[in-house]
Amino acid sequence: MTVTRSLLCHMNIVLSDGSTADSTKASGKPARLNVGDGTLSLAFEAQLATLAEGDKHSFTLEAIDAFGESNPDAIHYLDRSRFPADMSLEAGVIVSFAGPGGSEIPGIVRDVAGDSITVDLNHPLAGHKITFELDVVKVL
């Protein structure tokens, strides 16, 4: 796929309850959003189409167009023996698994019941309606 346009934006990712899930302003490093490379949903890309340097834009996307719906097939029940013996496992802990080509796949421990560990490999924001607040720093 070909990138047709890129924007450097400061971005707040806001949940339905008004809490901020993530913000590039905290790090001081704007995010690069590439239109046309397949990493963004078409609904997200449509919101970027007419933005120019200096624009501020806020929009809300349903889960399917933001980080996707939660996929029940991405929730796994693993035996405690599959983890290092000294690893602290409790709800909310992020664990990493080896993925294809040496990549890492993060998972969130959702539950621990005896030796059964429930791990969710969905994106942490999957299944959530999200409001994006963008400040366009530069159009590339």
Side-chain angles (χ1 to χ4, degrees), residues 41-115:
S41 71
L42 293 177
F44 195 110
E45 286 188 355
Q47 295 292 326
L48 305 178
T50 61
L51 296 180
E53 190 171 315
D55 283 353
K56 294 183 183 315
H57 183 53
S58 178
F59 58 97
T60 301
L61 295 177
E62 294 297 326
I64 191 72
D65 292 317
F67 293 95
E69 295 291 351
S70 185
N71 179 354
D73 292 337
I75 298 172
H76 299 274
Y77 304 92
L78 305 172
D79 191 84
R80 176 69 174 95
S81 64
R82 304 230 6 222
F83 300 89
D86 61 348
M87 180 181 272
S88 174
L89 292 171
E90 58 187 42
V93 169
I94 297 173
V95 292
S96 184
F97 298 92
S103 66
E104 285 191 23
I105 301 171
I108 300 172
V109 174
R110 295 291 183 201
D111 189 41
V112 177
D115 285 339

